[in-house]
Amino acid sequence: MRLAVSTLGMPGEGLGRAVEIAARHGCEGLELRLHPDTGVHAGLDAAERRAVRSRVADANLEIAALAGYVRICEPGPDEPVVDALLADLRLAADLGAPGVRVFPRGSDPAIGARRLRAVAESAAGLGVRVLVETHDAMATCAAVAGLLDAAARPGVTGAIWDLLHPWRHGEPPVESLAALGPHLAYVQIKDAVSAEDTTPVPLGAGSVPLEEAGALLRAAGYTGWVSLEWERTWYPHVAPVEEILPGAAAWVRRFAG
């Protein structure tokens, strides 16, 4: 497993500061949230894209993924969704990121599958994958796996297993991992007070079954990215991400290999 940290946990911090935090705490990668506030988004010009890529590489880090906000299953016309996703995929290729996170948002897998197929050829040409996170209307791994099965584009799609959401919707880790099977491409770790109260807490201080999930990933031979998604952007009162990263690094060391 390789540790990354999401810039979602660094509200108000620029890319330089995010790189510094990641490098100092033993991360190998950064998960870059796509938003004007972070300075990383599809509106960057070519020179700005080169600058982002160089800034990360100069610190001996990789961009683990781009955390985009395209809503792949949201009802409505396909064209705006497909266009937004293609823009994010081109940004990922320019930055050297292997994948772009999308949310399901809607609950109809047929809508999302159609849109995933629409971008598949472009994604393959760019060498970038579309990563669907277990979130909102498709919070379980079973639901996301159903969407990806319907899309039938395994070479350019994958799943992000956010360890919080499937569990708080009643899907235990053993069922989550079994449901994802070969779709598993990325893991986000976090802890929370309870299934009802998702306020972030340091890893091991809450109720998310992190030990069980880690043991399952180790047994399955998972060697991909594990990203700490510390949601300080949404919970500004919680501790800085620098205080949480040592616990994430310890979790990765415990369950890697």
Side-chain angles (χ1 to χ4, degrees):
M1 300 183 200
R2 307 179 69 199
L3 177 63
V5 61
S6 170
T7 55
L8 185 68
M10 309 173 202
E13 305 281 9
L15 179 62
R17 176 66 173 151
V19 166
E20 177 189 338
I21 290 171
R24 190 190 326 139
H25 290 278
C27 296
E28 294 184 56
L30 270 174
E31 179 185 311
L32 298 179
R33 177 180 179 241
L34 300 187
H35 193 278
D37 290 348
T38 69
V40 182
H41 51 82
L44 297 183
D45 63 27
E48 291 168 327
R49 294 175 186 219
R50 288 193 296 271
V52 170
R53 185 167 184 164
S54 295
R55 190 66 179 268
V56 176
D58 287 349
N60 294 315
L61 296 171
E62 297 177 34
I63 299 175
L66 301 185
Y69 288 90
V70 169
R71 302 169 176 185
I72 199 68
C73 297
E74 188 166 61
D78 288 353
E79 186 175 2
V81 178
V82 169
D83 287 349
L85 180 51
L86 287 171
D88 285 352
L89 290 169
R90 288 190 286 268
L91 176 65
D94 288 343
L95 298 185
V100 173
R101 188 277 306 280
V102 299
F103 285 141
R105 195 62 69 190
S107 60
D108 186 348
I111 295 174
R114 185 173 66 240
R115 293 166 178 170
L116 289 171
R117 289 193 295 269
V119 303
E121 184 175 351
S122 295
L126 292 166
V128 179
R129 299 178 75 183
V130 182
L131 306 177
V132 184
E133 184 175 334
T134 53
H135 205 272
D136 44 70
M138 293 187 180
T140 66
C141 293
V144 168
L147 165 62
L148 297 177
D149 284 340
R153 295 295 185 274
V156 293
T157 63
I160 295 177
W161 181 13
D162 180 312
L163 298 186
L164 171 66
H165 298 303
W167 164 77
R168 74 184 186 92
H169 283 82
E171 185 182 71
V174 66
E175 294 181 12
S176 293
L177 187 57
L180 287 181
H183 294 304
L184 178 62
Y186 196 90
V187 175
Q188 291 176 337
I189 58 172
K190 63 185 72 168
D191 208 346
V193 173
S194 68
E196 294 75 29
D197 180 356
T198 57
T199 301
V201 295
L203 300 188
S207 302
V208 178
L210 295 170
E211 297 300 300
E212 180 183 356
L216 288 165
L217 288 166
R218 180 176 57 196
Y222 178 75
T223 58
W225 287 107
V226 171
S227 178
L228 172 65
E229 192 182 46
W230 182 244
E231 296 183 330
R232 200 177 188 212
T233 294
W234 314 132
Y235 299 86
H237 62 284
V238 300
V241 71
E242 300 96 305
E243 296 182 18
I244 310 304
L245 267 168
W251 188 92
V252 168
R253 287 194 302 269
R254 191 156 64 253
F255 295 111

